Amino acid sequence: MSVIRPKYITFDCYGTLTNFQMAAMTRELFADRISAEQMPLFVKDFGSFRLDEVLGAWKPYEEVVKTALERTCKRWGIAYKDEEGQLYYDAVPTWGPHADVPAGLAKVAKEIPLVIFSNACDDQIMSNVDKLGAPFYKVFTAQQAQAYKPRLAAFEYMLDNLGCGPEDVLHVSSSFRYDLFSAHDMGIKNKAFVARGHEQPANSIYEYHQIPDIGGLAGLVGLE
Protein backbone atom coordinates (compact mmCIF):
# COMPACT_ATOMS: atom_id res chain seq x y z
CA MET A 1 0.00 0.00 0.00
CA SER A 2 1.40 3.40 -0.98
CA VAL A 3 1.82 5.99 1.75
CA ILE A 4 -0.38 9.11 1.72
CA ARG A 5 1.17 12.34 3.04
CA PRO A 6 -1.46 15.05 2.79
CA LYS A 7 -1.13 18.67 3.88
CA TYR A 8 -4.21 18.16 6.05
CA ILE A 9 -6.26 15.29 7.39
CA THR A 10 -9.89 16.40 7.33
CA PHE A 11 -12.53 14.67 9.40
CA ASP A 12 -16.21 14.25 9.80
CA CYS A 13 -16.88 14.59 13.52
CA TYR A 14 -20.22 13.05 14.54
CA GLY A 15 -20.14 9.30 14.09
CA THR A 16 -16.53 9.22 12.92
CA LEU A 17 -14.79 10.80 15.92
CA THR A 18 -17.60 11.55 18.36
CA ASN A 19 -19.76 8.61 19.40
CA PHE A 20 -23.01 9.86 17.86
CA GLN A 21 -25.81 8.52 20.01
CA MET A 22 -28.96 9.46 18.10
CA ALA A 23 -29.93 5.81 17.60
CA ALA A 24 -29.39 4.91 21.25
CA MET A 25 -31.43 7.93 22.39
CA THR A 26 -34.21 7.02 19.98
CA ARG A 27 -34.41 3.45 21.24
CA GLU A 28 -34.69 4.76 24.79
CA LEU A 29 -37.13 7.63 24.18
CA PHE A 30 -39.53 5.66 22.01
CA ALA A 31 -39.41 2.28 23.75
CA ASP A 32 -42.94 2.86 25.07
CA ARG A 33 -44.39 3.61 21.62
CA ILE A 34 -42.41 1.52 19.13
CA SER A 35 -41.98 -2.22 19.52
CA ALA A 36 -38.54 -3.80 19.73
CA GLU A 37 -39.20 -5.54 16.42
CA GLN A 38 -40.05 -2.27 14.66
CA MET A 39 -37.46 -0.08 16.35
CA PRO A 40 -34.63 -0.64 13.80
CA LEU A 41 -36.88 0.65 11.02
CA PHE A 42 -38.01 3.62 13.12
CA VAL A 43 -34.37 4.51 13.82
CA LYS A 44 -33.55 4.15 10.13
CA ASP A 45 -36.42 6.44 9.13
CA PHE A 46 -35.26 9.11 11.58
CA GLY A 47 -31.79 8.94 10.10
CA SER A 48 -33.15 9.19 6.55
CA PHE A 49 -35.23 12.24 7.38
CA ARG A 50 -32.23 13.92 9.04
CA LEU A 51 -30.28 13.44 5.83
CA ASP A 52 -33.15 14.79 3.75
CA GLU A 53 -33.40 17.86 5.98
CA VAL A 54 -29.81 18.97 5.24
CA LEU A 55 -30.01 18.76 1.46
CA GLY A 56 -31.55 22.19 0.93
CA ALA A 57 -30.77 25.69 2.16
CA TRP A 58 -29.00 25.90 5.51
CA LYS A 59 -31.07 26.10 8.65
CA PRO A 60 -30.09 25.66 12.30
CA TYR A 61 -29.29 22.10 13.34
CA GLU A 62 -31.92 22.30 16.05
CA GLU A 63 -34.52 22.73 13.31
CA VAL A 64 -33.00 19.87 11.31
CA VAL A 65 -33.34 17.46 14.21
CA LYS A 66 -36.80 18.55 15.29
CA THR A 67 -38.29 18.55 11.81
CA ALA A 68 -36.78 15.16 11.01
CA LEU A 69 -38.22 13.73 14.22
CA GLU A 70 -41.61 15.28 13.51
CA ARG A 71 -41.66 13.75 10.01
CA THR A 72 -40.67 10.36 11.45
CA CYS A 73 -43.44 10.48 14.03
CA LYS A 74 -45.96 11.46 11.36
CA ARG A 75 -44.90 8.54 9.20
CA TRP A 76 -45.36 6.16 12.11
CA GLY A 77 -48.66 7.66 13.27
CA ILE A 78 -47.46 8.76 16.70
CA ALA A 79 -47.50 12.16 18.35
CA TYR A 80 -44.48 14.42 17.97
CA LYS A 81 -43.30 16.17 21.13
CA ASP A 82 -41.14 19.23 20.65
CA GLU A 83 -39.50 18.72 24.02
CA GLU A 84 -38.21 15.34 22.82
CA GLY A 85 -36.68 16.97 19.78
CA GLN A 86 -34.97 19.44 22.10
CA LEU A 87 -33.54 16.59 24.16
CA TYR A 88 -31.60 15.37 21.12
CA TYR A 89 -30.18 18.77 20.34
CA ASP A 90 -29.19 19.44 23.94
CA ALA A 91 -27.53 16.03 24.24
CA VAL A 92 -25.19 16.36 21.24
CA PRO A 93 -22.51 18.55 22.93
CA THR A 94 -22.29 16.10 25.85
CA TRP A 95 -21.18 13.16 23.71
CA GLY A 96 -17.56 12.07 23.82
CA PRO A 97 -15.30 10.22 21.38
CA HIS A 98 -15.20 6.60 20.35
CA ALA A 99 -12.68 4.79 22.53
CA ASP A 100 -10.07 4.51 19.75
CA VAL A 101 -10.06 8.21 18.85
CA PRO A 102 -7.69 9.96 21.32
CA ALA A 103 -4.84 7.48 20.84
CA GLY A 104 -5.43 7.25 17.10
CA LEU A 105 -5.32 11.03 16.65
CA ALA A 106 -2.24 11.33 18.84
CA LYS A 107 -0.30 9.15 16.39
CA VAL A 108 -0.75 11.65 13.56
CA ALA A 109 -1.48 15.05 15.13
CA LYS A 110 2.18 16.04 15.65
CA GLU A 111 3.06 15.51 11.99
CA ILE A 112 -0.06 16.51 10.02
CA PRO A 113 -2.56 19.30 10.84
CA LEU A 114 -6.00 17.97 11.72
CA VAL A 115 -9.19 19.64 10.49
CA ILE A 116 -12.89 19.04 11.17
CA PHE A 117 -15.89 19.91 9.05
CA SER A 118 -19.00 19.09 11.05
CA ASN A 119 -22.71 19.28 10.35
CA ALA A 120 -23.11 21.28 13.52
CA CYS A 121 -23.87 24.71 14.84
CA ASP A 122 -21.09 26.76 16.39
CA ASP A 123 -22.59 26.55 19.87
CA GLN A 124 -22.35 22.74 19.83
CA ILE A 125 -19.16 21.62 18.23
CA MET A 126 -16.33 22.85 20.46
CA SER A 127 -17.67 20.91 23.43
CA ASN A 128 -17.33 17.75 21.33
CA VAL A 129 -13.93 18.73 19.93
CA ASP A 130 -12.55 19.45 23.40
CA LYS A 131 -13.33 15.85 24.36
CA LEU A 132 -11.36 14.34 21.45
CA GLY A 133 -7.99 14.72 23.16
CA ALA A 134 -6.02 16.15 20.23
CA PRO A 135 -5.22 19.59 18.80
CA PHE A 136 -7.13 20.64 15.69
CA TYR A 137 -5.77 23.21 13.27
CA LYS A 138 -9.23 24.29 12.11
CA VAL A 139 -12.82 23.41 12.98
CA PHE A 140 -15.44 24.31 10.38
CA THR A 141 -19.19 23.98 10.78
CA ALA A 142 -22.20 23.90 8.52
CA GLN A 143 -23.32 27.12 10.18
CA GLN A 144 -20.14 28.87 9.04
CA ALA A 145 -20.45 27.45 5.52
CA GLN A 146 -24.23 27.96 5.41
CA ALA A 147 -24.34 24.46 3.92
CA TYR A 148 -24.45 20.94 5.31
CA LYS A 149 -22.67 17.91 3.98
CA PRO A 150 -23.29 16.11 1.66
CA ARG A 151 -23.70 19.35 -0.33
CA LEU A 152 -20.59 20.15 -2.32
CA ALA A 153 -20.76 23.73 -1.04
CA ALA A 154 -19.68 22.44 2.36
CA PHE A 155 -16.53 20.91 0.90
CA GLU A 156 -15.88 24.01 -1.22
CA TYR A 157 -16.01 26.12 1.93
CA MET A 158 -13.56 23.86 3.73
CA LEU A 159 -11.03 23.75 0.89
CA ASP A 160 -11.32 27.49 0.19
CA ASN A 161 -10.69 28.34 3.84
CA LEU A 162 -7.74 25.97 4.04
CA GLY A 163 -6.33 27.53 0.89
CA CYS A 164 -5.68 24.16 -0.68
CA GLY A 165 -6.93 21.86 -3.39
CA PRO A 166 -8.63 18.47 -3.19
CA GLU A 167 -5.30 16.79 -3.84
CA ASP A 168 -3.94 18.19 -0.58
CA VAL A 169 -6.26 16.44 1.88
CA LEU A 170 -7.04 13.00 3.21
CA HIS A 171 -10.72 13.03 4.13
CA VAL A 172 -11.83 10.64 6.87
CA SER A 173 -15.40 9.59 7.59
CA SER A 174 -17.58 6.69 8.66
CA SER A 175 -20.26 7.78 6.17
CA PHE A 176 -20.37 7.53 2.41
CA ARG A 177 -23.74 9.27 2.16
CA TYR A 178 -22.69 12.39 4.06
CA ASP A 179 -19.00 12.59 3.19
CA LEU A 180 -17.19 10.20 0.92
CA PHE A 181 -19.51 10.30 -2.10
CA SER A 182 -19.26 14.11 -2.12
CA ALA A 183 -15.53 14.06 -1.45
CA HIS A 184 -15.18 11.83 -4.50
CA ASP A 185 -17.23 14.25 -6.60
CA MET A 186 -15.02 17.12 -5.39
CA GLY A 187 -11.93 15.34 -6.67
CA ILE A 188 -10.60 14.33 -3.26
CA LYS A 189 -8.78 11.16 -4.22
CA ASN A 190 -7.45 10.29 -0.78
CA LYS A 191 -10.33 9.08 1.38
CA ALA A 192 -10.52 6.82 4.43
CA PHE A 193 -13.70 4.99 5.37
CA VAL A 194 -13.86 4.21 9.10
CA ALA A 195 -15.91 1.04 9.38
CA ARG A 196 -17.99 1.93 12.44
CA GLY A 197 -20.80 -0.41 11.38
CA HIS A 198 -23.53 2.12 10.64
CA GLU A 199 -22.82 2.08 6.88
CA GLN A 200 -21.61 -0.69 4.62
CA PRO A 201 -18.64 -0.16 2.28
CA ALA A 202 -19.41 1.29 -1.13
CA ASN A 203 -18.29 0.29 -4.61
CA SER A 204 -14.51 0.41 -5.06
CA ILE A 205 -14.97 2.98 -7.83
CA TYR A 206 -14.97 5.59 -5.05
CA GLU A 207 -11.28 4.91 -4.36
CA TYR A 208 -11.18 4.75 -0.59
CA HIS A 209 -9.07 3.06 2.04
CA GLN A 210 -10.98 1.16 4.71
CA ILE A 211 -9.75 1.26 8.30
CA PRO A 212 -11.39 -0.32 11.35
CA ASP A 213 -10.91 2.73 13.57
CA ILE A 214 -8.89 5.95 13.86
CA GLY A 215 -5.86 3.93 14.93
CA GLY A 216 -5.57 2.84 11.29
CA LEU A 217 -4.75 6.36 10.09
CA ALA A 218 -1.10 6.22 11.14
CA GLY A 219 -0.44 3.37 8.75
CA LEU A 220 -2.06 5.23 5.85
CA VAL A 221 0.16 8.28 6.28
CA GLY A 222 3.39 6.39 7.02
CA LEU A 223 3.63 7.17 10.72
CA GLU A 224 3.53 3.59 11.98
Side-chain angles (χ1 to χ4, degrees), residues 41-60:
L41 183 55
F42 185 82
V43 169
K44 179 178 179 295
D45 284 347
F46 184 28
S48 296
F49 280 124
R50 291 200 309 275
L51 176 60
D52 190 62
E53 284 294 316
V54 301
L55 296 178
W58 182 86
K59 54 190 172 186

Side-chain angles (χ1 to χ4, degrees), residues 2 7-9 31 39 50 62-63 65 72 83 92 96 108 125 154 156-157 177 182 185 192 194 199 202-203 210 224:
S2 60
K7 290 183 180 179
Y8 304 101
I9 303 177
M39 187 62 76
R50 291 200 309 275
E62 179 179 349
E63 185 178 339
V65 172
T72 306
E83 60 269 26
V92 171
V108 296
I125 188 64
E156 289 176 310
Y157 179 89
R177 298 181 79 185
S182 297
D185 290 342
V194 186
E199 284 192 24
N203 191 295
Q210 181 170 321
E224 190 173 69

Side-chain angles (χ1 to χ4, degrees), residues 117-132:
F117 187 102
S118 178
N119 277 1
C121 286
D122 293 343
D123 63 357
Q124 296 175 304
I125 188 64
M126 291 315 299
S127 177
N128 301 109
V129 173
D130 289 344
K131 295 177 177 66
L132 298 178

